Amino acid sequence: MDPALIALFVGAALASLFMAWVIGAGSSGATPFAPAVGANAVGTMRAALLVGVFGFAGAVTQGGNVSEAVGSGLVGGMGLPVAGVILVLVLGAGLMALGIATGIPIATAFTVTGAVIGVGLALGGTPVPSKYQQIGAVWALTPLVGGGIAFGIAGVLPRPGVPERYSVAALAGVVGAVLVNVQFSFLGEGTASGTVRSLAQGALAVDGVASAGAITGLAALAVGVVVWWDIARDEEGGLRRVLLALGSLVAFSAGGSQVGLAVGPLLPLLDEVGMISTTAVLVGGGLGMLVGSWTGAPRMIKSLAQDYSSLGPRRSISALVPSFLIAQLAVLLGVPVSFNEIVVSAIIGSGAAVGGRDAVDARKILVTVGAWAGSFALSFALAYAAAALLS
């Protein structure tokens, strides 16, 4: 094997690890547990520990779809060369590191997507309009859908006529129904992914829509009953446990989505290098995110928890339920999505439902929206210019 190719791949892998660290220290490490920290359900350092562990698990078991989309779905007619991969990762990680240093939540997905498209087009690749439309639709609808769902849930939970043991239990049942239909790489046959629902159907030797619906319904009922019982015997403790469970699921989903932004550009190079599997690359990216969460996320967690909204357990639950649902949809579609866009939108929606304008920092929101829009434009422009100069 060409030693020069190996050296370049090692350089790209190191850049990918740095990107994974930055992602863990930034958006995916901060946003999943920010509502729980804001509600005083868990301390900042423990939140960083938990998000690292669950993020690693999500990266290994759900990271394939988004990684493939970032690696080969954004630019047609070519695969990025090793130098292009390094350029993408260095630019993306640099902008993310800037966001961490300044406390501004720059959107990881926007940054990496812009860099991949910019480098690819500058090197002669062709646009992929259908994928751009899908990504653009998800990005544009996320604040509206996530914030809207959170607003609606937060408007119901505090009502005296709707006790939490019923309303929160119903929400937990919805999450349970989604969870048994989520794709996991270790549940499928061969390289295919599988679901808990399909595994149960196989064990019971049944098939079809009716059995799928029955299994999903039973899972939702089981989760709802457990949560109902827990909240009925200890309301505040039960709400905190639901909040921590939801934060863990969002962290898991963050790992499955965000690892693709760090390792996706490496995947086209695996055929050239050989002897390195996609799973090994996902594990490496997951470890990088885990270390980033443990060492760099606490600052961003505090920023999100304290600056966006005055959160309690109910509003935090309202924020995390749509965050989990949108994140899993993005993983299923293989769309790179920004976790600070998902969770921040939900936090804003839940806070506005209960506290009105006083519960939301308008200036912080404007700065954040500007960072979201600017991160894509800046990364695309820098990547295109750098690639054009170096080619």
Side-chain angles (χ1 to χ4, degrees), residues 297-316:
R299 178 178 177 179
M300 288 291 287
I301 291 174
K302 288 181 181 179
S303 174
L304 286 174
Q306 296 173 6
D307 292 345
Y308 283 101
S309 183
S310 302
L311 298 176
R314 293 160 184 81
R315 264 179 280 180
S316 298

Side-chain angles (χ1 to χ4, degrees), residues 207-227:
D207 199 2
V209 176
S211 62
I215 292 170
T216 299
L218 286 173
L221 180 62
V223 172
V225 167
V226 170
V227 171

Side-chain angles (χ1 to χ4, degrees), residues 29 33 43-53 290 293-295 297-298 301:
F33 274 94
T44 300
M45 297 309 297
R46 181 176 292 183
L49 173 65
L50 291 172
V51 79
V53 172
L290 184 149
S293 297
W294 288 355
T295 59
I301 291 174

Side-chain angles (χ1 to χ4, degrees), residues 154-175:
V156 171
L157 290 187
R159 291 185 180 179
V162 187
E164 278 84 356
R165 65 180 181 275
Y166 297 118
S167 58
V168 175
L171 289 173
V174 171
V175 171

Side-chain angles (χ1 to χ4, degrees), residues 11 24 31 164 198 234 299 311 344 358 363 374:
T31 49
E164 278 84 356
S198 62
D234 177 13
R299 178 178 177 179
L311 298 176
V344 168
D358 293 338
R363 179 181 177 278

Side-chain angles (χ1 to χ4, degrees), residues 10 15 20 97 136 141 163 220 224 285 287 299 374 376 381:
V10 170
L141 291 174
L287 287 172
R299 178 178 177 179
F376 177 84

Side-chain angles (χ1 to χ4, degrees), residues 193-381:
S193 299
T195 66
V196 174
R197 185 258 306 156
S198 62
L199 192 67
Q201 285 180 295
L204 297 172
V206 295
D207 199 2
V209 176
S211 62
I215 292 170
T216 299
L218 286 173
L221 180 62
V223 172
V225 167
V226 170
V227 171
W228 171 85
W229 171 81
D230 192 29
I231 294 177
R233 69 183 181 86
D234 177 13
E235 182 174 298
E236 290 305 316
L239 291 176
R240 285 196 299 271
R241 284 184 282 276
V242 170
L243 187 54
L244 291 175
L246 286 172
S248 300
L249 287 174
V250 173
F252 178 88
S253 303
S257 171
Q258 302 294 281
V259 72
L261 301 173
V263 306
L266 286 179
L267 296 189
L269 306 180
L270 297 185
D271 291 337
E272 297 182 40
V273 176
M275 300 179 65
I276 299 177
S277 68
T278 301
T279 300
V281 172
L282 291 175
V283 169
L287 287 172
M289 291 172 58
L290 184 149
V291 174
S293 297
W294 288 355
T295 59
R299 178 178 177 179
M300 288 291 287
I301 291 174
K302 288 181 181 179
S303 174
L304 286 174
Q306 296 173 6
D307 292 345
Y308 283 101
S309 183
S310 302
L311 298 176
R314 293 160 184 81
R315 264 179 280 180
S316 298
I317 290 171
S318 303
L320 287 176
V321 169
S323 299
F324 168 72
L325 298 177
I326 292 173
Q328 283 299 325
L329 177 62
V331 170
L332 178 65
L333 295 175
V335 172
V337 65
S338 167
F339 255 78
N340 78 52
E341 182 190 21
I342 292 173
V343 179
V344 168
S345 300
I347 290 174
I348 292 169
S350 63
V354 179
R357 293 184 178 180
D358 293 338
V360 178
D361 187 338
R363 179 181 177 278
K364 187 71 174 182
I365 293 170
L366 290 175
V367 170
T368 302
V369 172
W372 291 344
S375 57
F376 177 84
L378 181 61
S379 65
F380 175 84

